[in-house]
Amino acid sequence: MQNVQTALERLRALASSGPVAKLARAFADGGNELALVGGPVRDAFLGREVHDLDFTTDARPDRILELVKPIASAHWDIGREFGTIGARIDGETVEITTYRADEYDGVSRKPVVAFGDSIEGDLYRRDFTVNALALSLPELKLVDPTGGIEDLLEGTLRTPIAPEVSFGDDPLRMLRAVRFTSQLGFHLDGDAFQAVCDMSKRILDISAERVRDELVKLMLTDFPRAGLELLVETGLAELVLPELPALQLERDSGHRHKDVYEHSITVLENAIELEKDRHAEDAPNLELRFAALLHDIGKPKTRRFQPGGAVTFYGHDVVGARLAKKRLTALRFDNDQIKSISRLVELHMRVFNYEGAGWTDSAVRRFARDAGPELERLLTLIRSDITTQNRRKADRLQFAIDNLEERIAALREQEELGAVRPDLDGEEIMAILDIKPGPVVGEAYRLLLEYRLDEGPKSKDEAKEYLLRWWSERG
């Protein structure tokens, strides 16, 4: 954390920037209060880049619109019922929300919206003290009624009011606590931790979409381990992602297998490191990260004990893909994400025997075809899955993947590997065999595709000769 003086200097610089200064002047001239609140203030103290500009005010939504319209290039009131008005000022998106004094009935998932009259009352209604900081404008006075600065210094996540009341008001705050441990590197206050453990079932009151969004934010942090471990420790994972704690397989001295839970989080960390090394400027790859975390979730259902103490997990890739699809569907991920993640889980064992099997070019083509658009992510996942402590073995496996990537690159350059098709299309097949559309055309097409994968690109004459020979033998 930066020292207070440095943080205040950052806040002064932010307050003098175009959109903040214009809003401060407009609200002051209009006789209303305005304060920068929450994340921007917190991040100034943490030395983090400020992304979102959120404000709070005593003005009601209609009044906010009156004050904002003259200085905004665009504005919207989609959050008006919750007191929020959005605007675009000097190219920056801002949100201004009326002081809140919400009440919860303990039954509905949403609060009964009530507007407040003081900034202190508004800040006490927020999730954690480190987010209950405000900078009043234009006087640049720091408002901290809940002890947020002290908690920032200590790296503590604490609720402004009793945690059981706060989490009861909005159970999603329990997942936000989990996410913030990874995003901010903070630890959860003891009373708050106990409240989450005691109240974890209340997370079932939250919609799947809101739960998904918090899990996504957690997975996109640089260091998700802390949050994932807290998710399991508090019992929340049993309710929102039960496949994760299920990886904590019972072990005994007579049977030998990896700690699958620890291995899965390590694979996720490896994938994040490879992302940074290979695609430092790209956004975090959500599909790869979820596939890394979930790649072994089929193991609990497929574990078998063998004579001599060995343990097998045959078919865990296929079973895991099915479980991943089911869980991601329940969490309302979109179809493309579900397809991508489950496919990666299904294919993550495909090169298990590459090193010693002596794959032919045909096998390499089939691997690339089966992976399709997931090829690069799949190779990254497979690399991430190498967690052995045996350095020689790890180096040997990494070299094998290097070799496979080189062969794929060479074949792609020679053969347009990413778009492997038969050398004859359906129209040509029907013309050569003098047949009409029907199942036989599909059979012939698949035959020629296999021929293409086995032999590489052929001329149309060679493909025609092969097709006619098959047709003759077929009778």
Side-chain angles (χ1 to χ4, degrees), residues 193 196-197 226-237 245 248 261:
F193 175 84
V196 175
C197 294
L228 291 170
E229 290 179 342
L230 184 60
L231 193 72
V232 172
E233 291 169 8
T234 56
L236 285 171
Q248 296 176 309
Y261 169 73

Side-chain angles (χ1 to χ4, degrees), residues 14-173:
L14 183 61
S16 64
S17 67
V20 180
K22 284 185 177 180
L23 277 171
R25 190 161 50 249
F27 277 72
D29 291 347
N32 288 102
E33 298 174 6
L34 184 73
L36 189 66
V37 68
V41 183
R42 177 200 69 207
D43 290 342
F45 280 91
L46 294 177
R48 296 162 61 97
E49 185 177 350
V50 174
H51 293 287
D52 302 313
L53 294 177
D54 295 326
F55 299 85
T56 188
T57 177
D58 62 341
R60 296 308 193 246
D62 288 343
R63 178 60 176 161
I64 296 174
L65 276 172
E66 288 178 16
L67 296 171
V68 164
K69 281 182 180 180
I71 60 174
S73 59
H75 57 82
W76 49 94
D77 60 358
I78 193 170
R80 179 196 288 261
E81 65 175 309
F82 299 104
T84 299
I85 301 298
R88 190 84 174 161
I89 302 173
D90 285 358
E92 291 279 354
T93 298
V94 302
E95 286 191 351
I96 308 104
T97 303
T98 304
Y99 296 154
R100 297 275 290 273
D102 299 342
E103 298 178 356
Y104 293 78
D105 59 15
V107 178
S108 173
R109 295 176 178 175
K110 296 182 179 180
V112 177
V113 176
F115 296 138
D117 297 316
S118 73
I119 189 170
E120 289 79 10
D122 176 271
L123 294 176
Y124 268 103
R125 302 303 301 168
R126 294 179 180 259
D127 54 3
F128 300 103
T129 59
V130 296
N131 293 329
L133 298 167
L135 183 72
S136 64
L137 302 169
E139 61 270 30
L140 302 182
K141 175 186 175 183
L142 187 65
V143 185
D144 177 23
T146 69
I149 293 297
E150 184 176 345
D151 288 336
L152 275 176
L153 290 169
E154 295 178 356
T156 300
L157 283 175
R158 184 172 57 84
T159 55
I161 57 178
E164 57 272 15
V165 177
S166 180
F167 298 149
D169 284 349
D170 183 2
L172 188 68
R173 288 173 175 170

Side-chain angles (χ1 to χ4, degrees), residues 343 346-353 359 366-367 370:
R343 187 63 170 158
E346 181 182 358
L347 296 177
H348 82 274
M349 295 291 291
R350 281 291 180 91
V351 299
F352 182 73
N353 66 343
W359 278 19
R366 291 172 188 277
F367 172 77
D370 290 347

Side-chain angles (χ1 to χ4, degrees), residues 246-257:
L247 294 174
Q248 296 176 309
L249 300 175
E250 294 180 9
R251 307 180 71 186
D252 60 64
S253 58
H255 297 97
R256 304 184 301 274
H257 62 82

Side-chain angles (χ1 to χ4, degrees), residues 276-399:
K276 293 177 181 177
D277 290 343
R278 294 187 166 199
H279 307 285
E281 296 181 358
D282 294 342
N285 194 304
L286 181 67
E287 291 81 2
L288 172 62
R289 293 186 180 200
F290 264 98
L293 182 66
L294 303 179
H295 76 285
D296 275 347
I297 59 172
K299 282 191 171 180
K301 285 186 176 293
T302 58
R303 183 171 61 160
R304 300 292 182 270
F305 299 116
Q306 303 297 324
V311 180
T312 63
F313 302 97
Y314 295 131
H316 77 273
D317 43 358
V318 177
V319 173
R322 189 164 61 245
L323 291 173
K325 182 178 181 181
K326 182 178 179 181
R327 176 55 50 198
L328 296 171
T329 300
L331 287 169
R332 303 292 193 272
F333 279 78
D334 70 47
N335 290 334
D336 288 341
Q337 291 173 324
I338 294 171
K339 181 179 179 181
S340 174
I341 296 167
S342 60
R343 187 63 170 158
L344 288 168
V345 172
E346 181 182 358
L347 296 177
H348 82 274
M349 295 291 291
R350 281 291 180 91
V351 299
F352 182 73
N353 66 343
Y354 174 79
E355 181 189 14
W359 278 19
T360 62
D361 284 352
S362 172
V364 175
R365 289 188 195 98
R366 291 172 188 277
F367 172 77
R369 181 199 64 173
D370 290 347
E374 305 304 329
L375 180 60
E376 185 174 357
R377 279 190 284 229
L378 178 60
L379 289 168
T380 303
L381 173 59
I382 293 168
R383 283 189 186 278
S384 304
D385 200 16
I386 300 173
T387 61
T388 176
Q389 297 301 307
N390 185 323
R391 191 69 261 163
R392 291 181 62 187
K393 181 179 180 182
D395 289 344
R396 194 172 69 247
L397 292 171
Q398 293 286 6
F399 177 79

